[in-house]
Amino acid sequence: MSASTAPVTTTVTGWGRTAPTAARLIRPRTYEEAAAAVRECGVRGGIPRGLGRAYGDAAQNAGGAVFDMTGLDRIHAIDADDGTVLCGAGVSLHRLMEVLLPLGWFVPVTPGTRQVTVGGAIGADIHGKNHHVSGSFSRHVLSFELLTAEGEIRTVGRGTPLFDATAGGMGLTGVILTATLGLLPVETSLMSVDTERADDLDDLMARLTDTDHHYRYSVAWIDLLARGAATGRAVLTRGDHAPFDALPARARARALQFRTPRFPSAPAFLPEGLLSRTTVGLFNELWYRKAPRARTGELQRISAFFHPLDGVPHWNRVYGRGGFVQYQFVVGHGQEDTLRRIVRRIAERRCPSFLAVLKRFGPADPGWLSFPLPGWTLALDIPAALPGLGPFLDGLDEEVAAAGGRVYLAKDSRLRPELLAAMYPRLDDFRALRAQLDPRGVFVSDLSRRLAL
């Protein structure tokens, strides 16, 4: 093992910073180094990790090894005619945008951060504001190379059991080395955005149901502290990639330029209780009031529309030393009453969440542990130190499971394992394939131990 891949024992945590554990961090730069890291990971096994944006414990492995895959960061080939790219699993979506946008191509799916690796995007089967149109990330993956527990490198194509187990499989089927992706053609690096306010949750759902099909991208920021007649009030933002002729003449020479603003990093330590009900309530009130009642055709940078928080390095520090829980669930169409009850319960509980979004999902994706299903998904950040948070979220989990819904494993840090099978019907298939592919249990994480995956 080279000096660059020599293990370093360190504390590893998810983006929520709630449950740090110690592991040996190994950063392979070649296929050979990756195979050696897997072969020598020890009795506690190992788990691949990208840029650390999984909110919970999916990329942690207490007492074992964590494979930092960001060293496999080469873009190997771009077909600018067909719109495909072959790249290493450690390449970030940010890097892909830097390289591809000037060529007139964009990543087909992006979550709320571009600081995600391609391997992580497949392992979590990430989704974005366009799931109702484009599905999740793995729907646009043509194939990938997977390093198995036995040291074999397999080329895995769509429509195979191994592809479907790996898409959303949280790194537990093997280490993704490279992937070939299909891309989206664009004429500019700007977005044409429509913004409007919704008076309450029913108003919001009606607007989304009636007009979402007119937009490629759609998301609603929702005020979860509002109560009474204003429960679920929201700011709805929708849009598409701006065509070239929509740009003013002065901007057309830079039509495909990718620019990303950067603001000062959040301080390493912030006072506990900074995000109280009072401060978050004030923020939510101001955010809702400043939004236009209706505005159409505003031109925004891609970074502003998709990734506003990426401009603030280490924004997760604003929750203080205790960190935060991101809770995301989905319930199907026909379960709107479940969504209404949960939103009311959160509002009545006075959970101080200023990052809360509601979206509509389209058809489910083939990954056995993929999160999306047709319906409604709500995601919210909550300070982990909020008294009684655990039992409160346990109650929401039960309501979600009873409605045939599920929580997102890439963001989970506390789900009880007995609810997992009800949420993910292909769980037994996943476990059986994993047992066949990795009988020695080489690939393991804090998440997999907690949930008996």
Side-chain angles (χ1 to χ4, degrees):
M1 184 172 291
S2 69
S4 65
T5 58
V8 176
T9 300
T10 187
T11 299
V12 181
T13 185
W15 192 244
R17 304 167 70 217
T18 54
T21 53
R24 290 178 296 112
L25 194 66
I26 307 170
R27 190 172 188 261
R29 296 179 180 274
T30 66
Y31 285 18
E32 293 76 17
E33 290 180 352
V38 169
R39 187 170 55 249
E40 300 166 12
C41 64
V43 296
R44 292 285 288 180
I47 193 70
R49 178 183 177 94
L51 287 167
R53 292 305 178 101
Y55 284 78
D57 53 4
Q60 300 173 215
N61 181 23
V66 171
F67 312 127
D68 176 353
M69 300 307 297
T70 58
L72 274 68
D73 58 355
R74 287 184 56 199
I75 296 178
H76 297 285
I78 299 171
D79 189 327
D81 294 324
D82 290 341
T84 61
V85 61
L86 168 63
C87 63
V91 173
S92 69
L93 299 192
H94 175 87
R95 180 60 180 154
L96 286 181
M97 292 176 197
E98 283 185 323
V99 172
L100 296 172
L101 268 169
L103 303 177
W105 296 99
F106 190 63
V107 295
V109 172
T110 176
T113 174
R114 59 186 179 274
Q115 303 302 330
V116 175
T117 62
V118 168
I122 297 170
D125 203 12
I126 60 171
H127 56 273
K129 300 176 182 179
N130 60 340
H131 190 275
H132 63 293
V133 172
S134 302
S136 63
F137 191 86
S138 293
R139 192 180 298 185
H140 307 274
V141 176
L142 306 180
S143 64
F144 54 80
E145 289 181 302
L146 187 75
L147 174 65
T148 69
E150 300 302 320
E152 178 186 3
I153 297 176
R154 298 191 187 184
T155 299
V156 183
R158 290 192 294 188
T160 63
L162 186 52
F163 187 103
D164 293 344
T166 303
M170 307 311 298
L172 296 170
T173 61
V175 178
I176 298 171
L177 300 172
T178 66
T180 301
L181 314 175
L183 304 170
L184 176 71
V186 295
E187 297 180 13
T188 74
S189 61
L190 295 174
M191 306 297 296
S192 177
V193 181
D194 294 352
T195 305
E196 58 193 281
R197 288 194 305 204
D199 296 331
D200 55 36
L201 184 60
D202 285 339
D203 182 30
L204 173 61
M205 289 193 292
R207 291 171 190 254
L208 287 167
T209 300
D210 293 344
T211 60
D212 241 16
H213 59 282
H214 295 306
Y215 297 89
R216 180 179 296 274
Y217 302 101
S218 179
V219 66
W221 169 87
I222 184 169
D223 182 359
L224 291 177
L225 282 175
R227 293 183 289 180
T231 299
R233 68 178 181 178
V235 178
L236 178 57
T237 307
R238 296 181 286 188
D240 206 338
H241 298 275
F244 183 80
D245 59 13
L247 271 58
R250 65 182 183 278
R252 293 184 179 184
R254 304 184 304 277
L256 289 168
Q257 185 180 63
F258 181 50
R259 292 179 296 168
T260 58
R262 189 175 179 87
F263 302 103
S265 176
F269 301 105
L270 288 167
E272 296 296 329
L274 180 66
L275 297 182
S276 66
R277 294 183 179 97
T278 300
T279 58
V280 173
L282 178 60
F283 171 87
N284 287 3
E285 181 70 25
L286 294 173
W287 191 260
Y288 180 77
R289 294 297 175 189
K290 84 173 187 65
R293 287 199 171 274
R295 180 176 60 202
T296 61
E298 180 190 15
L299 293 179
Q300 294 183 7
R301 293 179 184 178
I302 275 174
S303 56
F305 181 76
F306 289 109
H307 316 118
L309 287 175
D310 278 353
V312 184
H314 305 294
W315 64 261
N316 56 340
R317 294 174 180 171
V318 302
Y319 292 89
R321 295 175 186 270
F324 69 100
V325 172
Q326 178 155 117
Y327 184 69
Q328 183 170 8
F329 69 90
V330 58
V331 292
H333 293 303
Q335 292 294 332
E336 286 76 11
D337 282 346
T338 300
L339 177 62
R340 292 185 185 99
R341 282 196 302 272
I342 290 176
V343 169
R344 283 197 300 269
R345 288 180 64 179
I346 295 171
E348 291 165 0
R349 181 67 173 70
R350 309 295 288 155
C351 293
S353 176
F354 71 96
L355 291 175
V357 296
L358 182 74
K359 293 181 288 194
R360 287 177 75 243
F361 279 159
D365 300 288
W368 292 347
L369 297 186
S370 290
F371 169 66
L373 55 83
W376 304 92
T377 180
L378 177 65
L380 61 148
D381 291 353
I382 312 172
L386 187 70
L389 180 61
F392 175 72
L393 293 181
D394 286 346
L396 298 190
D397 290 340
E398 293 169 1
E399 190 152 3
V400 168
R406 58 186 62 147
V407 300
Y408 192 15
L409 296 182
K411 296 182 177 179
D412 177 58
S413 58
R414 24 114 349 247
L415 179 69
R416 302 201 313 273
E418 60 267 25
L419 293 177
L420 193 63
M423 293 181 172
Y424 289 90
R426 299 297 300 271
L427 179 62
D428 286 344
D429 294 328
F430 177 82
R431 285 171 168 161
L433 185 143
R434 186 171 173 236
Q436 178 184 1
L437 190 67
D438 183 11
R440 295 182 292 115
V442 170
F443 296 113
V444 65
S445 66
D446 291 354
L447 174 81
S448 73
R449 290 192 186 94
R450 177 168 55 84
L451 295 179
L453 283 172

